[in-house]
Amino acid sequence: MQRSIVSFQLIKPKTFLQRCMSTQWNPKKRLSRAAMSELRNLNAMSPEQYSIPALSEKFHISQEAVRRILKSKFRPTHQVAQRQEENRYRAMGERQKAFRTPGTKKK
């Protein structure tokens, strides 16, 4: 019986990060535009008090999500923001209809 010799290579940090970041970003929780602007404002007012870990706990999102929000420079135009809000409310209404069962009445 022969044993094969396995050589272990050290993974360079850059290669490791590239491999981890090659997958698409898909956060578990998404914030509204209003919450994102509040997060940015808090950090701008007092970066020492509202650090990334503190904002992460306050908004119940990951530290990576906070970093990405603070780094992002994207601000939608008024028309785009209004269209996104309308789509969001429409989607909420459809989800609520899906959860309602026929024959039940609200009191």
Side-chain angles (χ1 to χ4, degrees), residues 5 12 21 25 36 52 69 84 98:
I5 299 173
K12 294 180 182 178
M21 298 305 273
W25 171 250
M36 284 186 206
I52 290 174
I69 291 168
Q84 287 175 343

Side-chain angles (χ1 to χ4, degrees), residues 36-94:
M36 284 186 206
S37 67
E38 182 184 351
L39 187 144
R40 288 184 187 109
N41 291 338
L42 289 172
N43 182 263
M45 285 189 327
S46 177
E48 297 82 24
Q49 183 180 359
Y50 294 107
S51 61
I52 290 174
L55 289 169
S56 173
E57 288 179 24
K58 180 175 175 56
F59 288 92
H60 304 289
I61 57 175
S62 68
Q63 291 184 14
E64 179 64 21
V66 172
R67 272 190 220 98
R68 286 174 181 253
I69 291 168
L70 293 175
K71 183 180 174 185
S72 173
K73 302 293 182 204
F74 175 74
R75 302 291 190 277
T77 62
H78 179 70
Q79 292 86 7
V80 171
Q82 187 175 5
R83 181 179 48 86
Q84 287 175 343
E85 282 295 309
E86 289 170 2
N87 290 342
R88 191 173 128 249
Y89 284 123
R90 191 178 314 119
M92 275 193 321
E94 290 173 7

